[in-house]
Amino acid sequence: NAGVTQTPKFRVLKTGQSMTLLCAQDMNHEYMYWYRQDPGMGLRLIHYSVGEGTTAKGEVPDGYNVSRLKKQNFLLGLESAAPSQTSVYFCASSPLLSGQTEAFFGQGTRLTVV
Amino acid sequence: KQEVTQIPAALSVPEGENLVLNCSFTDSAIYNLQWFRQDPGKGLTSLLLIQSSQREQTSGRLNASLDKSSGRSTLYIAASQPGDSATYLCAVFSSGYALNFGKGTSLLVTP
């Protein structure tokens, strides 16, 4: 019963380096999301996807790219990391946009950019 | 844009007390509202989901209510325990396909 799995759990990057965060869900959910969580700011939506092959910008998309080539995977890329991207990143998924929708979250990726 | 506010930001209570956490939102056109728990350094665990047509949901010692017209929800925790210490997050699912979160209430239950 894996649910939502994020890889890696921790990472330290140097400014300017690139990396990809992987989110995998085994619940056949249509919707997937990437959030970042910063002290005093709460969770903010970076990008989201409403189905395989689709992506859309959220509240804070600058500096990030995403891809959803397979329904179960949602990738978040940082092309040129900046210290301002130091944060905890959470992936989530949900089955449908309706009153029944319940979001499930991964355990987070703690990223530090030095 | 949907704005979600949680009051208080932090709360400390002695074990055994009943307590109420508050959540308010600016746009009443929501699909549902969800309460989460987050332990330090961990992910989010869903506690209760209230659909827009419902008034409340209960799970064990937790009871969440929803007044959509006034844009408010409360999470009631009965007979609090030290193990309830965590941050509680309120999130609403409205237009835009994603959850909008409050900043959370940090709860400490002391023995």
Side-chain angles (χ1 to χ4, degrees):
Chain A
N1 192 13
V4 179
T5 303
Q6 293 183 230
T7 309
K9 290 183 171 50
F10 303 93
R11 185 72 185 269
V12 178
L13 283 181
K14 294 182 179 179
T15 297
Q17 285 186 321
S18 64
M19 78 163 293
T20 299
L21 282 69
L22 171 64
C23 176
Q25 53 95 1
D26 61 2
M27 297 172 283
N28 201 36
H29 286 172
E30 290 294 331
Y31 298 94
M32 296 188 74
Y33 313 89
W34 277 107
Y35 290 87
R36 59 178 290 173
Q37 185 177 38
D38 302 291
M41 300 294 291
L43 278 94
R44 293 180 293 169
L45 182 66
I46 305 171
H47 285 279
Y48 64 96
S49 168
V50 299
E52 182 179 311
T54 74
T55 63
K57 295 180 180 180
E59 181 184 357
V60 288
D62 293 342
Y64 305 95
N65 57 75
V66 287
S67 65
R68 183 111 180 259
L69 299 179
K70 293 183 178 181
K71 186 177 183 178
Q72 64 267 34
N73 296 334
F74 195 29
L75 279 64
L76 177 71
L78 287 73
E79 291 185 345
S80 180
S84 61
Q85 293 178 305
T86 294
S87 187
V88 181
Y89 292 86
F90 287 100
C91 176
S93 70
S94 63
L96 287 171
L97 182 65
S98 71
Q100 302 294 330
T101 301
E102 181 177 357
F104 296 84
F105 280 76
Q107 290 300 299
T109 295
R110 187 172 296 274
L111 175 66
T112 302
V113 183
V114 297
Chain B
K1 179 180 179 291
Q2 179 75 269
E3 300 286 344
V4 181
T5 303
Q6 291 187 246
I7 295 173
L11 183 62
S12 180
V13 300
E15 181 177 6
E17 267 201 16
N18 302 324
L19 57 99
V20 174
L21 307 181
N22 296 291
C23 173
S24 62
F25 47 94
T26 54
D27 185 353
S28 62
I30 65 170
Y31 292 100
N32 61 46
L33 184 144
Q34 200 166 352
W35 283 94
F36 293 88
R37 169 184 172 138
Q38 185 176 27
D39 293 286
K42 303 292 186 181
L44 280 70
T45 300
S46 179
L47 296 173
L48 289 165
L49 171 72
I50 310 177
Q51 299 174 39
S52 62
S53 58
Q54 297 177 318
R55 297 285 292 183
E56 65 179 320
Q57 279 284 351
T58 298
S59 176
R61 293 183 295 108
L62 305 179
N63 175 276
S65 68
L66 174 64
D67 184 342
K68 200 172 70 164
S69 61
S70 68
R72 294 182 180 181
S73 176
T74 61
L75 179 66
Y76 175 83
I77 302 177
S80 58
Q81 303 171 358
D84 294 330
S85 298
T87 296
Y88 291 80
L89 296 164
C90 167
V92 297
F93 214 136
S94 53
S95 64
Y97 301 101
L99 284 166
N100 292 105
F101 282 86
K103 294 181 180 179
T105 294
S106 178
L107 173 65
L108 176 64
V109 181
T110 55

